Amino acid sequence: MGIAIGGRNGFYPTMRDRIGAMYGGTEKVGAGGMFTAGLFAGMTGYFLASPLLQVKTQMQVEAGKLSAEGLYLTGARVGLAPTYSGSFDAFSKLASSGYASGGLVGGIQSLWRGAGVIVGRGAAVSSSQLCAYDMTKTVLKDRGFQDGPLLHFIASQVGAVCCTTFSMPLDIVLTVYTSAQTLGGERKILYGSGGPLKCASAMFRNDGPLVFFRGWVPAFMRISPTTTSSFFLYEQLRRLVGIGYLD
């Protein structure tokens, strides 16, 4: 998250202002420019973080209670030993398995497997969240709101609603696709044998369009405090280092 969110928040103001400069504008860019800047900033940050996000998912999907012999008593791999002993072991094994079958390119492909969904999700999250946050601040400041913690809180909640709605489909596809690789069996054949688009198509055929928004409320309850705290810290850090609040 340090790489993904820190990267996208760092790239966003520069990309937004560059977009404005490309079109010769002297005023702050509108919603379209904010959305585009958030899109590319998110793509960059989440692409760099993709291998780490994959390691996180692979380790979480097989989590369960271990016996004294080191075998799973619960979870998706009951009766089997953990595939990975830790985060660094997971990173190493994922890279090694790809390298063994395809050399350096295979190792890179293994680490960035599913990166298209991760980058797409990051772009959807960032474009919707940053655009909604920045645009809300702009509109409310024009109506007399003082730039400060209260304004940051209100804008972050608008950003959280937009972020949850835009990211849910990609988030669910990412979870189903990456977990299918570990769970194996019929689930791997159905959801993990092709690419993310094939996985999304299978989900749509089997469960309908609402499957992509299943769990919206708990997702919002998770994203809302994260969005609020991250934007609050982001704004305060900008102020502390002397570049001021996001304008």
Side-chain angles (χ1 to χ4, degrees), residues 142-196:
D142 288 345
R143 296 186 178 183
F145 272 72
Q146 185 70 30
D147 199 348
L150 177 60
L151 180 58
H152 303 160
F153 174 79
I154 296 171
S156 67
Q157 294 311 295
V158 177
V161 170
C162 294
C163 169
T164 304
T165 304
F166 273 76
S167 67
M168 278 295 293
L170 289 163
D171 205 13
I172 290 175
V173 171
L174 172 63
T175 300
V176 172
Y177 175 70
T178 55
S179 64
Q181 306 293 326
T182 299
L183 296 176
E186 183 180 348
R187 192 168 183 84
K188 183 174 182 179
I189 296 172
L190 185 60
Y191 298 118
S193 59

Side-chain angles (χ1 to χ4, degrees), residues 195-239:
L197 289 178
K198 185 176 179 180
C199 175
S201 178
M203 292 172 63
F204 182 84
R205 289 195 309 271
N206 294 333
D207 300 300
L210 291 181
V211 69
F212 299 111
F213 295 95
R214 184 181 295 164
W216 190 97
V217 172
F220 173 77
M221 296 300 291
R222 175 181 65 85
I223 290 173
S224 176
T226 303
T227 301
T228 303
S229 59
S230 64
F231 276 124
F232 178 81
L233 290 172
Y234 172 62
E235 293 276 20
Q236 296 308 313
L237 286 171
R238 286 179 58 95
R239 185 183 181 193

Side-chain angles (χ1 to χ4, degrees), residues 34-209:
M34 295 175 186
F35 186 89
T36 303
L39 189 75
F40 285 104
M43 289 173 64
T44 304
Y46 278 85
F47 177 80
L48 296 174
S50 288
L52 298 171
L53 288 167
Q54 185 189 169
V55 166
K56 174 194 73 73
T57 301
Q58 294 288 358
M59 293 188 67
Q60 288 178 342
V61 75
E62 67 169 52
K65 185 177 180 180
L66 290 173
S67 68
E69 294 76 22
L71 303 178
Y72 281 119
L73 296 173
T74 60
R77 291 174 54 83
V78 174
L80 300 175
T83 305
Y84 313 111
S85 62
S87 300
F88 292 106
D89 182 55
F91 193 91
S92 176
K93 285 181 177 177
L94 286 169
S96 297
S97 64
Y99 186 84
S101 60
L104 180 60
V105 174
I108 293 173
Q109 288 177 336
S110 179
L111 288 174
W112 267 269
R113 184 177 63 196
V117 180
I118 294 173
V119 171
R121 179 189 180 278
V125 167
S126 301
S127 58
S128 57
Q129 190 180 59
L130 288 166
C131 176
Y133 180 82
D134 199 0
M135 197 66 203
T136 300
K137 278 192 64 177
T138 301
V139 171
L140 293 181
K141 283 170 66 178
D142 288 345
R143 296 186 178 183
F145 272 72
Q146 185 70 30
D147 199 348
L150 177 60
L151 180 58
H152 303 160
F153 174 79
I154 296 171
S156 67
Q157 294 311 295
V158 177
V161 170
C162 294
C163 169
T164 304
T165 304
F166 273 76
S167 67
M168 278 295 293
L170 289 163
D171 205 13
I172 290 175
V173 171
L174 172 63
T175 300
V176 172
Y177 175 70
T178 55
S179 64
Q181 306 293 326
T182 299
L183 296 176
E186 183 180 348
R187 192 168 183 84
K188 183 174 182 179
I189 296 172
L190 185 60
Y191 298 118
S193 59
L197 289 178
K198 185 176 179 180
C199 175
S201 178
M203 292 172 63
F204 182 84
R205 289 195 309 271
N206 294 333
D207 300 300

